[in-house]
């Protein structure tokens, strides 16, 4: 029998994602922290949006953190050929050995 180590990101008692490495799990947890901060900030704004819209936008902004930082620094859109960080994580998982467990969304 094989023994596998899995790292599970749990938020508010709910399993969000499962990862093969602690580094990937920590990175996803930080992404969720950033998304939560963006969501709270959006809900405090004077814009008319419901909580679901704020959560979706907060998660999108967190996932696009590098692009947001680039826009804030330069007041210009990043070049289209720059790969977002989420693609890098997926490609790293794809190129890893077959013994690694890929991240899967919890139901």
């Amino acid at each position: 029998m094989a023994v596998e180590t899995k790292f599970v990101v749990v938020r508010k008692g709910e399993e969000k994602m499962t990862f093969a490495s602690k580094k990937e799990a920590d990175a996803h947890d930080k992404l969720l922290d950033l998304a939560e901060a963006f969501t709270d900030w959006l809900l405090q704004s004077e814009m008319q949006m419901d909580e679901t819209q704020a959560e979706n936008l907060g998660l999108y902004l967190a996932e696009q953190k590098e692009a947001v930082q680039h826009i804030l620094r330069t007041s210009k859109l990043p070049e289209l050929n720059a790969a977002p960080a989420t693609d890098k994580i997926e490609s790293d998982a794809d190129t890893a050995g077959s013994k690694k467990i890929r991240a899967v969304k919890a139901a």
Side-chain angles (χ1 to χ4, degrees):
M1 177 187 294
V3 176
E4 295 179 1
T5 302
K6 297 179 182 179
F7 296 88
V8 180
V9 177
V10 178
R11 304 288 276 188
K12 299 178 184 176
E14 181 182 333
E15 289 187 16
K16 295 295 184 180
M17 297 280 282
T18 301
F19 296 91
S21 75
K22 183 174 182 345
K23 182 180 177 181
E24 290 174 334
D26 286 340
H28 187 72
D29 190 46
K30 287 180 184 181
L31 175 86
L32 294 178
D33 285 339
L34 185 57
E36 186 175 336
F38 275 129
T39 300
D40 292 344
W41 177 63
L42 290 166
L43 289 172
Q44 291 175 1
S45 73
E46 295 179 12
M47 295 189 306
Q48 297 295 322
M49 68 174 63
D50 62 29
E51 190 170 346
T52 302
Q53 289 172 319
E55 287 175 356
N56 289 338
L57 184 54
L59 183 59
Y60 176 77
L61 291 171
E63 290 171 343
Q64 301 300 319
K65 176 179 129 177
E66 287 82 14
V68 171
Q69 289 174 334
H70 179 82
I71 292 167
L72 290 172
R73 274 193 319 271
T74 65
S75 298
K76 296 179 183 176
L77 290 176
E79 292 187 27
L80 294 177
N81 60 1
T86 55
D87 288 344
K88 183 182 183 318
I89 292 171
E90 290 174 7
S91 66
D92 288 348
D94 290 341
T95 59
S98 61
K99 292 183 182 179
K100 283 209 164 197
I101 301 168
R102 295 177 64 196
V104 293
K105 285 192 174 184

